[in-house]
């Protein structure tokens, strides 16, 4: 595996000093770019090795069901491979990112993205491009100038930047280990995705924005026997496209831990207009122009909305056709974990 790090030179100082939020907000650099070439990852199985020892285990424990039984989640196989892996059976290398469009870690000026006077830490996948410069995000046979994605598909001469990814896991509740779930995605693309984090002074919490673009010509889910000898019907999602937006400059995501130790993720509701700010007929002419423009931008900005497209959904030999959810706007969201132990 070859790692290519793109570092932007900076002036060296003889002494490290703390920077204020205002000073950090002025930081303007290209950050760090990360490209993984000829990359292949495969976590093994929890089956005993040749010496009878379970040496390769990825297990999540410490969970209990509502009736007090221990819940054990064991990941038997987790892989990132080149396209054509046949659900992780035939692993091959893949490139993640391109030198001209890498994965990035950066501190950006919040004023450029609507976060006033804040330094924002950003983790970003390769950026989207103009359609006349990139590749179709879905097709495994996409050619240049066919779409907005930077990541190129696999060809006979090139391994591409679109990995197969998958996970096989067993969920045991007490002595019952019958739940074995397999999830696979073929030729996956996440271009245009990012996570942005900064601090909120008033609430003294970490806040952020999360954008996930996930494209795959095939996502599959099925359940099998523990030994893999028999599997149930496979759920196939063909031409799967998810564009998920959680948080924006008007409604960032707040991360917190409550008094009981549980995690809280919240997207606060958009502020209500003051009485009389919006006219009875809803038109700009009868409203406060500044307030009307604010809500017009909020409700029409496509960057605030989420979309889900499934070209075809099938379960076993039953075909349910296409499905789509478009323009979903999260006006308020709260996710709170709970302790279910007795």
């Amino acid at each position: 595996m070859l790692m290519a790090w793109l570092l932007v030179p900076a002036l060296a100082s003889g002494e490290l000093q703390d920077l204020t939020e205002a000073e950090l907000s002025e930081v303007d650099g290209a950050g760090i770019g990360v490209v993984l070439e000829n990359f292949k990852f495969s976590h093994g199985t929890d089956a005993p090795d040749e010496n009878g020892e379970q040496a390769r285990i990825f297990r999540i424990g410490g969970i209990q069901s509502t009736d007090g039984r221990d819940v054990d989640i064991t990941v038997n196989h987790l892989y990132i491979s080149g396209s054509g892996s046949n659900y992780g059976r035939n692993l091959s290398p893949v490139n993640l990112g391109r030198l001209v469009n890498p994965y990035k870690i950066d501190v950006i000026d919040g004023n450029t993205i609507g976060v006033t006077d804040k330094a924002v830490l950003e983790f970003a996948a390769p950026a989207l491009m103009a359609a006349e410069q990139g590749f179709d995000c879905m097709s495994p046979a996409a050619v240049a100038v066919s779409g907005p994605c930077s990541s190129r598909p696999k060809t006979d001469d090139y391994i591409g930047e679109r990995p197969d990814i998958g996970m096989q896991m067993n969920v045991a509740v007490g002595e019952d280990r019958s739940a074995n779930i397999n999830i696979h995605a073929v030729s996956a693309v996440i271009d245009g995705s990012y996570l942005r984090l900064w601090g909120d002074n008033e609430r003294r919490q970490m806040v952020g924005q999360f954008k996930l673009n996930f494209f795959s010509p095939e996502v599959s889910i099925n359940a099998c026997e523990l030994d893999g000898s028999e599997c149930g019907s496979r759920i196939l999602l063909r031409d799967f496209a998810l564009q998920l937006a959680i948080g924006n400059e008007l409604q960032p995501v707040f991360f917190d831990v409550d008094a009981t130790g549980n995690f809280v993720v919240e997207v606060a509701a958009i502020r209500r207009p003051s009485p009389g700010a919006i006219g009875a007929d809803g038109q700009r002419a009868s409203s406060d122009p500044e307030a009307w423009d604010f809500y017009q931008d909020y409700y029409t900005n496509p960057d605030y909305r989420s979309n889900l497209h499934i070209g075809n959904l099938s379960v076993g030999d039953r075909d349910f056709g296409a499905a789509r959810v478009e323009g979903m706007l999260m006006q308020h969201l709260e996710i709170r974990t709970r302790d279910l132990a007795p």
Side-chain angles (χ1 to χ4, degrees):
M1 181 182 69
L2 172 65
M3 298 184 65
W5 297 83
L6 308 181
L7 301 178
V8 175
L11 293 177
S13 175
E15 181 181 9
L16 296 178
Q17 296 182 354
D18 292 337
L19 297 179
T20 65
E21 286 282 356
E23 290 171 328
L24 283 172
S25 68
E26 297 298 323
V27 173
D28 184 16
I32 299 174
V34 180
V35 176
L36 305 179
E37 296 184 345
N38 294 315
F39 179 84
K40 179 173 65 175
F41 172 83
S42 178
H43 162 77
T45 173
D46 70 338
D49 62 15
E50 62 275 11
N51 299 318
E53 298 178 354
Q54 293 181 335
R56 297 177 294 171
I57 297 176
F58 178 16
R59 178 169 290 164
I60 302 172
I63 306 173
Q64 286 189 329
S65 64
T66 53
D67 57 5
R69 291 182 294 171
D70 290 332
V71 177
D72 177 274
I73 302 174
T74 300
V75 179
N76 297 316
H77 193 197
L78 178 66
Y79 67 88
I80 301 174
S81 168
S83 296
S85 68
N86 189 21
Y87 303 120
R89 296 184 182 91
N90 305 315
L91 302 180
S92 61
V94 65
N95 290 348
L96 299 181
R98 300 172 59 182
L99 293 178
V100 296
N101 204 341
Y103 288 81
K104 293 192 299 182
I105 304 172
D106 198 1
V107 177
I108 59 178
D109 182 354
N111 292 316
T112 64
I113 58 171
V115 183
T116 306
D117 295 334
K118 290 289 183 180
V120 178
L121 177 62
E122 180 182 68
F123 303 89
L128 294 173
M129 312 169 68
E132 60 272 15
Q133 297 176 328
F135 295 76
D136 180 82
C137 299
M138 190 71 68
S139 173
V143 296
V145 304
S146 61
C149 280
S150 168
S151 298
R152 296 167 292 184
K154 180 180 180 179
T155 66
D156 293 338
D157 303 318
Y158 182 63
I159 63 177
E161 295 111 23
R162 302 186 177 189
D164 285 1
I165 56 178
M167 178 174 62
Q168 302 171 4
M169 65 180 179
N170 172 258
V171 181
V173 181
E175 299 299 321
D176 182 7
R177 303 194 67 92
S178 60
N180 298 281
I181 303 173
N182 307 321
I183 304 173
H184 306 274
V186 173
S187 192
V189 180
I190 61 169
D191 291 3
S193 302
Y194 59 77
L195 172 64
R196 295 169 176 167
L197 300 171
W198 66 95
D200 181 82
N201 295 338
E202 294 183 3
R203 296 180 52 159
R204 296 185 178 276
Q205 292 177 230
M206 182 173 69
V207 294
Q209 299 174 6
F210 178 59
K211 181 67 176 287
L212 173 63
N213 293 330
F214 188 90
F215 305 95
S216 172
E218 180 188 301
V219 175
S220 69
I221 305 170
N222 71 336
C224 299
E225 296 293 336
L226 183 58
D227 60 3
S229 60
E230 185 176 346
C231 297
S233 297
R234 185 182 297 273
I235 301 173
L236 280 180
L237 310 173
R238 299 190 183 277
D239 292 339
F240 180 89
L242 173 65
Q243 296 166 299
L244 178 64
I246 301 180
N248 53 65
E249 57 265 32
L250 302 179
Q251 294 174 284
V253 185
F254 291 88
F255 303 94
D256 198 10
V257 178
D258 64 17
T260 64
N262 285 290
F263 291 101
V264 180
V265 179
E266 179 188 5
V267 176
I270 194 70
R271 64 176 173 85
R272 295 178 177 271
S274 57
I278 303 298
D281 59 1
Q283 300 300 310
R284 191 175 191 274
S286 61
S287 306
D288 173 29
E290 183 177 352
W292 194 94
D293 290 343
F294 173 86
Y295 291 103
Q296 175 71 6
D297 176 68
Y298 172 70
Y299 284 107
T300 60
N301 193 329
D303 292 337
Y304 300 167
R305 296 183 177 268
S306 300
N307 304 295
L308 172 64
H309 292 183
I310 301 173
N312 184 266
L313 169 63
S314 63
V315 180
D317 59 357
R318 303 191 65 179
D319 194 328
F320 295 92
R324 64 175 58 192
V325 177
E326 293 186 337
M328 182 173 63
L329 179 64
M330 295 186 183
Q331 293 187 309
H332 178 254
L333 173 69
E334 181 175 319
I335 302 173
R336 186 184 298 267
T337 62
R338 299 289 186 184
D339 185 2
L340 299 180

